[in-house]
Amino acid sequence: MSDAILMRLRHALGDAAVEQDADGRPRAVPDSADGVAQVCGLAHEQGWRIRVEDRGTWMPADAPADLALSTSGLCRMVDVAPADLVATVEAGVSLGVFQRELDRQGAWIALDPPGRPERSIGSIVATGTAGPLRHGFGPVKDHILGGTIVTGDGRIIKAGGSVVKNVAGYDLTKLQVGGFGAFGVVTQLHLRLRARPAARATLLALGKRDVLTHQARALMAERLGAAAMELFAPAIAGEADWVLAIELVGTAESVADEVARATASGDLAWERADAERSAAFWHAAERAATGGAITFRLGVFADGLDEIIDLLAEHLDTELVSGGPGSGLLRWTGDATVEKLKTVRRLAAEREIPLTLERAPWPIRHAFGHYGAYREGVGALVSKLRSTFDPDPTFAVALEGIEHE
Amino acid sequence: MVVLPGSREECISVIRLLSTMGLPWVARGAGTGLSGGALADDDSVLVVLTRMNRILSVDPVRRRAVVEPGVVNARLSEAILPLGLHYAPDPSSQSACTLGGNVAENAGGPHCLKYGVTTNHVVELEVLLPNGNVVRLGCSQGDGWGPDLVGLFVGSEGMFGIALTITLRLTPIPPAIRTLLADFATVRAASEAVGSIIAAGIVPAALEMMDQACIVAVESSIYAAGYPVDAGAILLVEVDGWPAAVGAESAAVETLLTAAGARTIRAASSADERARLWQGRKKAFGAMGRIAPDLVVQDAVVPRSALPDVLEQILAIGRTYRLIVANVFHAGDGNLHPNICYDRRDADLSGRVQRAAREIMAVCVAAGGSITGEHGVGSDKLDYMPMIFDPESLSAMCAVRQAFDPEQRANPRKVVPVHHCNEWRRNPKARAAAGRNGHP
């Protein structure tokens, strides 16, 4: 069958846009939304299953499928408009390359997802993986203005727009952010930018975990205007104890003011990291989430952070745990069996805390699902929406897993 | 027929009854919307939610409030003021509009430049689907159980169901606020000042513009705010935060305003003066009633860098059609509100207004913009949707609506012009049916 698929793909896209992976599986590397639509339309017509891949730096490219569809050919920065604080990029553009171009033009995007800088923007959007900057700048969806989506049956859909405010029609981009590719392949995105901050400061404090979470809550109550406020397990920070890290951005005056307020609050001994130490710290924090085969996130309020970390300590481990007291998000990375993951998901659900599987090998994704069970009545909605964007379905994505709780 | 349920349970009973009877219905809050989104045809039942107006809970530590859909926007901020919190989205109609309506329209407001629009502040919804089932979408913490159905529901203009309870993110009241009024000789100079502020990396809490026609209307009304009536345009700029940062930021803004040609810059010296400056801005639509008995309020968005050229083109369109076009808008977002004052009893004038309104919209779309930034599509902008969405994309919207409301009884015939959808164009039976009953 692979030979037949290869032949059809080459006929549709040309030889240069089709290759084979290490297992001999056909891989299409289209360089346009039209090319992606051709692949999806063909697969839908022939009943082939597609695995969508980026560079494999986040989600393993291991879902069983008849062919792979790589977004690495969608690598153009279509438009960067610092004066309008918007940019249009194709989904395969890596965040690292994009950030460098923005920096050159005096702009910035407030996204610092876990993983390597080679991660594509499409991967970040599909998995909805925000980093510590979520504290001050919101989740991934807050940075997405619109985009182009190709459905499982090869339709090209435009959603949202390229201006910073827009309520024309239903906001279909919201389904794509954190949709794990179940609602189509994002080929192009319109992104919200910010001006590059004039000043930045990183503050680090070491201590016992409960002391740090207490101080983080105090700083939030005192309305510290932090861009990021994140608690890191010792192994992530490369320190002997837990670390509370604060990132402050803005004008020189506002950063100086916030540094003074943060360091004057409580009894923690704060270190103001120099530029080199700051860059190394945040870089290590981003990389930590690939230190194990599995990463998941939990939605947690600041006052529940300690309890849920205790729960993780009891049933998994806390070696690679980080959490934002203000962002409502705790991230765990490590290795675990499906049974243990299901136990944690069940215990979290009892506390009204959702668990989203962000990355894992296919057998885990397949059995456990990115979301697991939904609340009553929501599953039917998700199923209908999924069939709208991927009628048969064509994309190999395990949203719910095979065994719901 | 109009039904006014007074509780969650009554609302569920009403919608279940309408489902059993197969009747279409339109949910409505205070009816302050500006796109006809809550207008009901004769065959639809109007379900008015203003009696469901309780603030159910407020958690000041977690900064969350749970409200019923009929709570008036400003009432929530008033209620949580003693806690040092406020609800950030502040549409100009906030003294009357309801939070349920805000959710339906994804409402904005002047301070959304810094704080974001409604969708950025809604974390969880209890939704009554058109078939009478109740589902909970999202999660109070903000990271939900499954795909972002809260984000999809917000801005769906009442076509996916009714938000029975709404969990909102609350925002601390900034400790310091500085409000500046700058006046310019021309609209171009004022709009170039907007560009220079944004380009400098400053994000004011609000950055609003009014042109001379609008200034004169406000200053002639009971909402007079002390705006200079000889100015070509004014900017209202507000910065907030901690005192040191506000001082530095407002000084930087004043320098930029002066460099852009501001004739005078005045800072509000008291809370009362600030309130007066804002009242003029927020009541501007009402003040335009002095110019003519009727008003078309437009709502479009353009890239901020296109503001100077687009505003000149809008004024030129006004001249071509011999109309009074008054602009009052969220300049920092590029969210325009060209308002055309007229008298609907004059058929020729009404025709010119409609043609001018469409031309204005075309200019905004050609500049890379959108047909609505915060008022929604409703019935008013239905015909403009094909300007920015192709038939495939409109079809996808129809299909998404079907997932929530397969019988299409919730707020029928709004938002998506179905006769432009691919399915409809390919389906001769649908076209024939539309031809018989006059609309698709």
Side-chain angles (χ1 to χ4, degrees), chain A residues 110-198:
Chain A
L111 282 174
D112 59 346
R116 300 166 60 89
E118 294 84 3
R119 268 190 86 181
S120 71
I121 292 172
S123 159
I124 295 159
V125 169
T127 56
T129 39
L133 288 173
R134 180 183 159 119
H135 177 94
F137 296 99
V140 175
K141 67 176 179 177
D142 287 2
H143 306 268
I144 312 299
L145 304 169
T148 304
I149 304 148
V150 176
T151 62
D153 54 350
R155 288 169 287 143
I156 299 175
I157 291 166
K158 308 273 187 192
S162 58
V163 281
V164 296
K165 209 170 169 191
N166 188 5
V167 295
Y170 313 135
D171 190 352
L172 304 185
T173 56
K174 293 293 192 293
L175 275 179
Q176 306 303 325
V177 183
F180 293 94
F183 304 95
V185 185
V186 176
T187 59
Q188 192 178 82
L189 289 154
H190 306 298
L191 302 166
R192 180 191 298 275
L193 307 180
R194 289 177 165 75
R196 185 177 54 206

Side-chain angles (χ1 to χ4, degrees), chain A residues 323-341:
Chain A
S327 69
L329 198 135
L330 185 143
R331 177 168 284 122
W332 178 91
T333 294
D335 293 286
T337 63
V338 170
E339 290 313 310
K340 285 207 167 193
L341 291 170

Side-chain angles (χ1 to χ4, degrees), chain B residues 308-396:
Chain B
D309 289 342
V310 168
L311 286 168
E312 286 189 350
Q313 288 180 71
I314 289 171
L315 291 173
I317 290 168
R319 285 193 295 272
T320 300
Y321 288 97
R322 292 171 284 123
L323 299 170
I324 300 169
V325 181
N327 287 288
V328 49
F329 62 99
H330 313 301
D333 293 317
N335 187 183
L336 300 168
H337 294 316
N339 301 287
I340 308 176
C341 307
Y342 74 112
D343 184 340
R344 78 171 90 178
R345 293 167 298 189
D346 182 334
D348 171 65
L349 180 57
S350 294
R352 282 186 277 131
V353 168
Q354 293 306 318
R355 290 195 295 280
R358 191 171 186 89
E359 259 184 55
I360 288 171
M361 205 53 77
V363 162
C364 294
V365 171
S370 170
I371 61 166
T372 173
E374 58 182 8
H375 294 176
V377 176
S379 50
D380 182 47
K381 292 198 164 70
L382 207 53
D383 291 340
Y384 298 155
M385 283 289 273
M387 285 182 171
I388 55 170
F389 290 113
D390 58 25
E392 205 70 85
S393 305
L394 293 171
S395 294

Side-chain angles (χ1 to χ4, degrees), chain A residues 56-128:
Chain A
T57 59
W58 182 251
M59 194 72 75
D62 58 357
D66 299 301
L67 73 150
L69 170 60
S70 170
T71 59
S72 60
L74 303 166
C75 53
R76 283 173 291 267
M77 284 183 264
V78 178
D79 185 34
V80 177
D84 296 322
L85 295 181
V86 297
T88 298
V89 299
E90 291 186 330
V93 170
S94 77
L95 183 63
V97 168
F98 183 50
Q99 290 276 32
R100 282 197 293 279
E101 176 59 22
L102 293 180
D103 193 52
R104 195 182 67 79
Q105 299 200 34
W108 181 54
I109 185 164
L111 282 174
D112 59 346
R116 300 166 60 89
E118 294 84 3
R119 268 190 86 181
S120 71
I121 292 172
S123 159
I124 295 159
V125 169
T127 56

